[in-house]
Amino acid sequence: MKFLQKLGKALMLPVACLPICGILMGIGYLLCPASMQGGDITGFGPMVGIFLVKAGGALIDNMALLFVIGVGVGMSDDNDGTAGLAGLVSWLMITTLLSTSVVAMLKGVDVSEVPAAFGKIQTQFIGILSGLIGASCYNKFKNTKLPAALSFFSGKRCVAIVTAGASIVATLILFFVWPVV
């Protein structure tokens, strides 16, 4: 239960971005209804409106990344940004390795034969999963001491490397599970 409470608290960070998205987009659509319906946008008010719609949409369209970083930082023991970066490393690896073009190459089929689920891999669910992978790798390996020859990669610098390995394992599992999910 403690884990779920901590996860809920971590999810509040990216969710806190949603109200400003709604406000920006709401005011934008009020000033420029043509942005919803299509058509010419002329005049200062509609230009401001479309600007606000795009500003709010930028956050909505990248909500998965907000979840990656928010969950990574929120689930780390000391709310360190390194965990957010590690989560981003995980998200980039998972979404790249499970993209339709890579899956088609791995399966030896045409892109059109790849299950549609791989076309929708950049979701908030994958963002939360990547944030959890980044945070757990950070919590476990942030104090790692390596031999002198590799000492540059000791401590927090080790986290991204370990996260990449863990993300490859997660990708292999998702390769088979994602179409069902």
Side-chain angles (χ1 to χ4, degrees):
M1 193 60 122
K2 188 176 181 181
F3 174 80
L4 291 176
Q5 286 178 330
K6 190 172 182 179
L7 178 60
K9 194 188 256 186
L11 289 173
M12 293 308 293
L13 185 60
V15 168
C17 297
L18 291 176
I20 191 63
C21 297
I23 291 168
L24 289 172
M25 293 178 84
I27 294 170
Y29 286 129
L30 179 68
L31 294 174
C32 184
S35 62
M36 278 193 291
Q37 302 154 349
D40 293 332
I41 300 170
T42 56
F44 181 73
M47 287 299 225
V48 171
I50 196 70
F51 182 80
L52 295 175
V53 168
K54 294 297 181 185
L59 294 175
I60 293 289
D61 293 344
N62 294 296
M63 187 59 65
L65 290 171
L66 296 175
F67 275 98
V68 169
I69 296 167
V71 170
V73 171
M75 293 296 289
S76 67
D77 289 339
D78 49 3
N79 296 327
D80 195 292
T82 305
L85 180 64
L88 183 59
V89 165
S90 178
W91 190 81
L92 290 170
M93 288 192 68
I94 291 171
T95 58
T96 300
L97 293 173
L98 293 180
S99 66
T100 53
S101 58
V102 175
V103 171
M105 182 187 65
L106 293 173
K107 287 187 168 193
V109 298
D110 188 56
V111 173
S112 62
E113 297 176 37
V114 173
F118 292 108
K120 298 289 183 187
I121 196 69
Q122 296 183 350
T123 64
Q124 287 81 355
F125 175 79
I126 298 298
I128 293 169
L129 178 66
S130 298
L132 289 172
I133 291 170
S136 63
C137 289
Y138 172 79
N139 291 338
K140 180 121 174 116
F141 297 101
K142 65 183 173 190
N143 296 319
T144 300
K145 301 286 184 219
L146 296 174
L150 300 172
S151 64
F152 175 79
F153 298 107
S154 291
K156 292 180 182 180
R157 291 187 191 114
C158 176
V159 173
I161 297 167
V162 174
T163 300
S167 297
I168 288 173
V169 172
T171 300
L172 290 173
I173 294 167
L174 287 170
F175 183 78
F176 299 105
V177 174
W178 188 248
V180 177
V181 172

